[in-house]
Structures are given as structure tokens and as C-alpha cells.
Amino acid sequence: MAHVSNICLVDFAVPAEHPLLAPVSVACGYPSPSQDYFDGRINLNDHLIKDVTSTFVVRVSGDSMEGAGISDGDELIVNRALTPRHGSIVIAILDGELTVKRLQLTAGGVVLHAENPKYPDIQVKDAASLIVWGVAETCLHDLRR
Amino acid sequence: MRIRTAETSGPALMPGSDYIAHVDVNSFYASAERAFNPSLEGVPVVVLSNNDGCVVTRTAEAKALGIPMGEPWFKIAPRAKAWGLVALSSNYELYGDISSRVMELLGRYSAWVEVYSIDEAFLGVNGTPIQIRKLGRTIKDAVRRHVGVPVCVGIARTKGLAKLANKLAKHNPDFAGVCHWESIPEDVREGLMSRLSVVELWGVAARLTKRLNAMGIHTILDLKNTNPVLIRDRFSVVLMRTVLELQGTACIPMEEERVGRDQLIFSRSFSTPVTTAADMGQVMSVYAQQASARLAKHGLQAKVLTAFAGTSNYNQDSISYPSVCVPLPLPTADPVLLHRAANSLCERIYEGVKYVRAGIMVTDLRPTGNQSPLELFENPHEERGIGPLLEAVSKRYGRGSIGLGSAGVRGGPDWSMKREMLSPRYTTHWDELLLVKAS
């Protein structure tokens, strides 16, 4: 199968959020008074991504985390380098699948909790066998959907 | 523009570094796939070359099935199901991104990183043997934790020995993935070398092995105990250097242009740091032209270009290790296209930050003769905006809905790689993000 779109996937243009040049004064006009204050636009990458090497974006499929404000189709910004703690929203590996749950470290052991009463808690029998793929830091939710 | 000259204090060691660490991702392509698909863990996995031709990466489980490297896919396909073997097309977008993440991370541990290939790098490191081993473990754990791929680390006084130490770390579970050559007692080292064939050595091809065997040199230990001058006379200076390295004399230069099997790297450390995107653009321009000339000389074209830069480890105020991996629109040696691709690094350069090194790497090389005839028209097409038009049509009506001339909509010109078993491009395409279950 030919993938025609492969031939122009690369966009060499400088993205708008990374302006390389600050606004400059017009040659024959009055210099813009704001020129000295231009510090680059707000950059969402800087704001949302603490560590570029360990941060990944994943998409949620299902409604089991609605109580945590995470809806079906939302995107999560996941940092794999973070240490999961009690209350962290984690991406855990369950039966070879990546599943999003709230991690609860209770006196009775480790629990993977769904934020939707329709789904039961999962009691992790052997805490050492639990593999946390990453810790979700931010949820991107499109309000127009 | 005058390109800044490399700083070198000796032929092999990086300035200010006592040791060289060789970091290498285990079964890189397959490990990158596993990082996003846990169901592949413990399962035999192979990754196939361009056009799903032959096996280029095997996991340990696939090796155990007796699948040789380079085996054509059609030969093993009929048995794949019975074996439970998973075969995947090369997902260059994913591997390129994972590679640049690994390299960015390695840049945090040493001011002197030489990206050697898409999945391996040399680092200059310092310290006592205890500190060195600890650093090796830190690096190994950090890559696993941050990026999700397993690496082994070999550390030694020379590059050749660092590579050998890495091999030992990979094959001998006692090392737990990190081997510091000089920490191994001499008699144990000799024992290890006596169990490894010379073919395991960096730069010793099968053909060379035959000739060495004829001289009674079978193991790495045999080679180490051979007179280097004799090796130079019978073979080459290159092999003599290998012998000298085995004997502990560093002689493989650290930053040297290399033409590998499938990559070409231009990398430099600057005597004066580069601090602006404009200057970095000039550096990239020079590298791109060098790469173009070198590719043309070897009759090769590249499919992927990686550009990277880094700040000094000794300047902790501003740390930056930008890296980009650009799939080229067509396999090319065109300086304009290479320059444009390399220049995209500049978007990630922070003005005022002092970058002490930068480089480009072109990978997935192929002979120029294998090109599709359409490449003759590559540039005019670009100028007339045909590329964006095709993209727009493909976006709207799906891939394969439009094609160029005789190369057509179907069929396999080189650039329209057949990738029927392609995993999603999880980290580079919004519509192919990794799905996590919430049900």
C-alpha cells in the first residue's frame, strides 16, 4: 500500500509557539513601546511538560475515571519518571494492558481504585508485582465535545 | 563561517574524562515497541526492515527460536503463528523519538556524549571505580525509568574495551547490566576473553575472523596476546588499534567521522560555545553540507536525519539537550533538504544558552541506485507545492487516494515503504496516541 502522505509529513516551518524573533520596529515608524517587554509568548510545553525525556501523552478509553475529571477520549500527560504515591492517578499494567486508576496505599494493602461506582476496586495481591507505567500529571479535556 | 574546532587532549579519551562509558539499548527496536505495548513482554518479537523484508531486530525469545538476523520474513511467516511470534514493521517515527529521548537523557550525565548510532552512545565519565559503577547503574535505571527501554552499560579506559564490557554486561547476568572493565580482576578478565570469539569484537567481520583463525587466533584473549605490529603487517592499522585497545592503550579517536553500515555521524564539541539559534543554524548548515557530500561520495541516500546539541555538564545554570529526528520526505543526499531537516533543531535552541556540542546523524541509508525514478523530479515538485497538495488530498480522502505519475497509487516505489505490521506512531502523531483503558 502506498503511503503518499509520507512524502510531506515533515513541517519545516517554525511553530508559532516558538518565535525565534521578537517583534521589530518598523524602519520609518515610531518604535513599538512594547518592544522592550516582549519575552516570547506563553509556551504550553514549558507549562505542561516538566521533563521532555520522560513525558508522554496518552488517550483515555472508557468512563471509569469520570469522578476524577477524566472522560472518555481525554488526553493525559504522563510522566514516567515520577514516583507513584498514595492518591496518584497512575497508568498501571494489568494483564498486559495499560489501565488508568487511582493508586491507594492503605493499611490493608495496595488498591487500584476506579473513580466511578460502576467499577470495583482492584486489590493488588502482590504489591511487588504491580508495575506502574507512569504517573498522570495533567488531563487535557476538550470542553466543546 | 569558520567551524569551531574540536577540543581534544588525546586521541581517544574525551577531555577531562578518565573513562568511557558505552551505553547501548538492548534489542532497540523491539524494546521501543515493548515500551508502549506491555503485552509484548516475554513474547518473541522481531522487527522487519524496510518493506517488511527481513529481520533486523530480535528479542532474546526470538533468538531462542533460532531465527537468524537478516532472515527474510517470508521464510518465517508461515511458522510465526505456531511460535507465537510477533513481527512488526519498522516504526521509524517511534524509534527516532525514543532514540532522541535516550540521547537527551544521557547528555545529563556527561558533558561529552558521542552519539554513535540510533541506539548507542559513548560518554566520557570520571571518578573512582566505585563511583563509576554507581554512575553506570544510575544511567541504566534512569533510561529504563524515563524512557522505558532497557540498556546495558560498559565502562573502560578505551572505546573498544567499553564496547566489549557492554557485551559482557549483556550476556552475563552476574553484571546486572553494568560492567566496569578495570574493576574485574585480571585473571577473570582473561577467562572472559578466552570464552569470546574474535568475531564478537567491534570491527572484526566474519571474513577477518577466518584469516585470524588460520593464524591460530580464535578468542579475544588470543588476539590480545598477539604482537600488534604483526597484526598491522598482516591486516591493517585498524585491527592493530583494536589489539592495542585490548592491551589497554587507547587509540580509537573519540570524535571521528564514521561511515557505518547504516549511518553517518558528524559531531563536534566547540571550543567556543554556540549561544544563538542563528549560529546553530550555521553549524547545522555545515554539517548538512558535509553529510550531503559524504553521502554522494559513497553513493548513498538517507531516509532519516537526527540533529542534536547539548550544554556542558559543568555549567549547571542552564541545561539543555535538544534533539530532533526528522523522517526525510524521500531518501535523499540533497543538501537543501538535509539542511532544512537539520535546521529544525534551531526551534529547540534557547537563545543565550551555551551549547558546547552539536551534531547530525543520517540513518537508514540506502544506495542511490535503489531510488524511484521520481526522485529526479523531487525539487521541482517541492517548488510547485505538490507535496502539500498531496498531503492535503491524502488527509481528506485517506492514504493511497492519490499518487504521483507512474509510481502510482499502489505498488512499492522505495519511498512508499510497505509497513503492513506497523504499530501506532505513539509519540509523534496525535491521532495515534497510546490508548489507556478506563473500563
Side-chain angles (χ1 to χ4, degrees):
Chain A
M1 188 62 166
H3 293 312
V4 173
S5 58
N6 280 354
I7 63 172
C8 48
L9 278 174
V10 182
D11 180 10
F12 296 108
V14 176
E17 66 270 27
H18 298 294
L20 292 178
L21 298 170
V24 288
S25 58
V26 182
C28 55
Y30 191 77
S32 162
S34 68
Q35 186 186 324
D36 293 343
Y37 299 95
F38 189 80
D39 211 12
R41 288 190 188 124
I42 281 174
N43 185 326
L44 277 178
N45 280 346
D46 291 347
H47 182 64
L48 296 174
I49 298 178
K50 311 286 183 297
D51 188 337
V52 290
T53 64
S54 58
T55 302
F56 296 86
V57 182
V58 302
R59 183 164 287 130
V60 175
S61 162
D63 61 358
S64 73
M65 292 303 284
E66 292 210 316
I70 302 170
S71 307
D72 185 33
D74 283 358
E75 286 126 11
L76 296 176
I77 296 178
V78 178
N79 188 339
R80 297 199 64 175
L82 291 181
T83 305
R85 300 186 193 288
H86 174 69
S88 297
I89 304 274
V90 298
I91 313 300
I93 300 178
L94 289 177
D95 302 324
E97 282 188 313
L98 293 161
T99 306
V100 54
K101 296 278 183 191
R102 191 181 295 280
L103 182 71
Q104 294 181 332
L105 307 173
T106 67
V110 177
V111 175
L112 291 172
H113 174 69
E115 294 282 353
N116 183 336
K118 283 199 292 186
Y119 301 89
D121 284 356
I122 295 171
Q123 188 79 36
V124 180
K125 288 189 193 77
D126 174 14
S129 71
L130 175 69
I131 303 173
V132 172
W133 189 87
V135 175
E137 287 187 298
T138 309
C139 174
L140 305 178
H141 177 77
D142 187 340
L143 295 171
R144 297 163 304 173
R145 278 194 293 129
Chain B
M1 188 201 113
R2 207 181 130 259
I3 191 82
R4 294 158 174 85
T5 51
E7 283 172 0
T8 44
S9 63
L13 280 178
M14 290 181 277
S17 302
D18 298 335
Y19 292 101
I20 292 169
H22 177 251
V23 183
D24 180 35
V25 184
N26 308 347
S27 311
F28 176 54
Y29 292 179
S31 294
E33 299 283 354
R34 278 179 170 166
F36 293 86
N37 185 352
S39 73
L40 296 176
E41 216 61 62
V43 169
V45 178
V46 294
V47 177
L48 306 175
S49 62
N50 296 330
N51 296 313
D52 295 342
C54 52
V55 173
V56 287
T57 303
R58 307 164 294 166
T59 61
E61 297 84 358
K63 282 175 202 171
L65 287 173
I67 299 170
M69 197 67 159
E71 183 80 341
W73 167 236
F74 73 86
K75 281 197 183 172
I76 46 176
R79 279 172 288 169
K81 203 164 182 191
W83 277 335
L85 176 74
V86 176
L88 295 161
S89 307
S90 288
N91 187 342
Y92 292 112
E93 292 86 349
L94 178 66
Y95 311 150
D97 179 53
I98 296 301
S99 170
S100 59
R101 285 172 190 256
V102 172
M103 299 309 169
E104 280 192 56
L105 192 58
L106 294 181
R108 296 179 194 177
Y109 294 95
S110 168
W112 298 93
V113 176
E114 182 185 329
V115 178
Y116 188 71
S117 75
I118 194 162
D119 61 351
E120 56 182 326
F122 291 102
L123 280 68
V125 293
N126 274 317
T128 63
I130 291 172
Q131 289 170 329
I132 290 288
R133 291 197 300 273
K134 187 159 177 261
L135 178 67
R137 287 194 297 273
T138 303
I139 290 172
K140 179 180 143 64
D141 294 344
V143 178
R144 179 86 208 201
R145 195 178 147 102
H146 278 245
V147 194
V149 293
V151 298
C152 283
V153 184
I155 307 168
R157 292 273 181 195
T158 73
K159 283 169 103 176
L161 289 176
K163 266 200 115 146
L164 182 60
N166 196 325
K167 186 148 280 196
L168 293 171
K170 273 205 170 61
H171 296 302
N172 194 330
D174 294 345
F175 289 112
V178 178
C179 172
H180 176 225
W181 182 251
E182 284 81 8
S183 292
I184 308 172
E186 178 71 34
D187 54 325
V188 178
R189 265 192 249 166
E190 301 228 320
L192 290 165
M193 285 194 277
S194 72
R195 284 195 291 276
L196 284 173
S197 153
V198 282
V199 77
E200 300 282 339
L201 266 182
W202 186 22
V204 176
R207 187 176 45 83
L208 217 54
T209 307
K210 271 189 188 161
R211 287 174 56 203
L212 286 166
N213 290 350
M215 287 170 68
I217 300 166
H218 297 276
T219 68
I220 292 178
L221 183 66
D222 294 339
L223 186 65
K224 183 197 165 223
N225 293 334
T226 309
N227 182 349
V229 178
L230 179 77
I231 292 294
R232 184 197 61 196
D233 294 345
R234 297 248 187 118
F235 295 89
S236 63
V237 173
V238 177
L239 194 60
M240 179 190 76
R241 283 187 188 154
T242 305
V243 176
L244 285 170
E245 290 240 322
L246 284 173
Q247 295 173 351
T249 309
C251 50
I252 297 177
M254 195 63 205
E255 300 196 69
E256 196 186 32
E257 179 203 301
R258 295 168 303 272
V259 180
R261 185 169 43 86
D262 54 3
Q263 72 221 356
L264 190 56
I265 299 179
F266 297 86
S267 159
R268 273 279 170 82
S269 298
F270 310 132
S271 52
T272 314
V274 168
T275 57
T276 66
D279 279 0
M280 190 59 82
Q282 283 186 318
V283 173
M284 287 296 131
S285 168
V286 170
Y287 286 151
Q289 284 172 45
Q290 285 177 348
S292 166
R294 193 53 54 137
L295 284 170
K297 188 181 155 197
H298 293 280
L300 294 169
Q301 291 178 319
K303 188 79 175 61
V304 179
L305 183 144
T306 306
F308 51 90
T311 51
S312 162
N313 211 30
Y314 305 114
N315 173 12
Q316 293 294 334
D317 310 332
S318 50
I319 301 168
S320 173
Y321 301 97
S323 170
V324 291
C325 180
V326 184
L328 296 163
L330 292 168
T332 187
D334 183 310
V336 177
L337 293 179
L338 294 176
H339 175 223
R340 239 188 265 172
N343 221 34
S344 60
L345 180 74
C346 298
E347 293 162 20
R348 307 215 180 171
I349 294 296
Y350 290 99
E351 294 287 329
V353 168
K354 291 177 177 165
Y355 293 94
V356 296
R357 63 192 149 81
I360 68 169
M361 166 166 71
V362 283
T363 45
D364 196 5
L365 307 184
R366 58 203 53 198
T368 306
N370 288 353
Q371 67 188 315
S372 94
L374 279 170
E375 281 173 31
L376 297 170
F377 305 105
E378 181 183 327
N379 283 328
H381 278 149
E382 285 220 328
E383 283 157 19
R384 284 189 258 138
I386 285 179
L389 174 70
L390 292 176
E391 169 74 348
V393 173
S394 303
K395 245 196 189 143
R396 191 147 162 197
Y397 298 105
R399 281 188 173 173
S401 58
I402 184 167
L404 284 176
S406 62
V409 176
R410 270 166 238 281
D414 194 30
W415 46 269
S416 70
M417 251 188 301
K418 188 170 115 186
R419 298 198 286 183
E420 286 176 347
M421 292 162 281
L422 187 62
S423 54
R425 293 166 295 180
Y426 304 105
T427 62
T428 53
H429 289 67
W430 277 104
D431 51 351
E432 298 181 22
L433 291 180
L434 178 62
L435 286 181
V436 297
K437 217 170 96 172
S439 56

